[in-house]
Amino acid sequence: MAAIIALVLALSCGRAAAAGTPCQTSGPTSGAYSVTVCIEAPADGAGLTGATPVSGTAVVSPAASAQGVQRMIFSLDGQYLLTDYAADGSGKYGFSLKSGRFVDGAHTLSAQVLLRDGFSSASSSIGLTFANGVAQPPVNTNSFTPTAGSDPAPGAPFVLAASGDGAGGEIGETRVTSLIDSWNPNLFLYLGDVYEKGTATEFDNWYGPAGVAGLYGRFRAVPNPTVGNHEYVGGA
């Protein structure tokens, strides 16, 4: 049944996604080690609607090698999408991909890792088909209006919190946002930089929607953000 649904999605978009190479092994010319990068979800050839979890793994061999993975970098159709700096407890890197941010049809999702010695792995890839009724590239029509924040309780001080350079999905972000939340700020200033290049997908995952614990999006009711150099890099 899943295969039939995927085929219907592909046909509705005009053409199916080309098959990819979900796992790819590479290593430095010295032959000191190899690293195998795999995209585990979604499946190669899948049809996507809405938000979909993406996950990947990176295994360095021999396991005793001193070279560790620094980050996993995801791209869509050869264009940078997002960087995940830390694997979860099961050793997976990942994020949520909002397929509705892109035009319907066939796409290629790829992943590679950067190791701590500077070696960049070969990219693994999968073919996907997006089907969200999006015929033209979505346009951001939002406008920004600064907020004065919320009013403190009678007799209580006005609490202003400021932070920045920290929306990257790492454990440090959770700790900082939890500390700020304990202050119950009336106004929050985010001083720029959602990592690595300030793409819309990184904003979705590392800054986050309103009210999500552990991310800066939990303060969306009282924010006055500014643009950092990483947002300029990503063209966001």
Side-chain angles (χ1 to χ4, degrees), residues 17-181:
T21 307
C23 288
Q24 190 77 271
T25 300
S26 59
T29 55
S30 67
Y33 63 88
S34 66
V35 57
T36 300
V37 178
C38 294
I39 300 177
E40 296 201 342
D44 188 22
L48 306 186
T49 58
T52 300
V54 174
S55 64
T57 57
V59 178
V60 180
S61 181
S65 170
Q67 308 307 329
V69 175
Q70 186 182 82
R71 64 187 74 169
M72 183 171 283
I73 303 160
F74 294 89
S75 300
L76 188 70
D77 300 329
Q79 300 295 312
Y80 175 86
L81 191 64
L82 173 143
T83 294
D84 190 357
Y85 294 89
D88 63 17
S90 64
K92 295 181 180 180
Y93 297 83
F95 65 101
S96 176
L97 175 61
K98 290 187 176 181
S99 60
R101 286 194 177 276
F102 306 91
V103 173
D104 284 358
H107 296 276
T108 299
L109 177 70
S110 59
Q112 68 176 150
V113 292
L114 176 67
L115 279 80
R116 298 192 183 281
D117 64 351
F119 174 72
S120 293
S121 75
S123 296
S124 58
S125 66
I126 58 173
L128 299 171
T129 304
F130 295 175
N132 296 282
V134 180
Q136 298 293 329
V139 177
N140 185 350
T141 59
N142 295 332
S143 60
F144 173 67
T145 302
T147 178
S150 63
D151 294 327
F158 184 90
V159 178
L160 169 65
S163 181
D165 200 37
E170 298 176 274
I171 187 62
E173 178 176 356
T174 300
R175 292 168 178 164
V176 171
T177 58
S178 294
L179 175 62
I180 294 174
D181 188 60

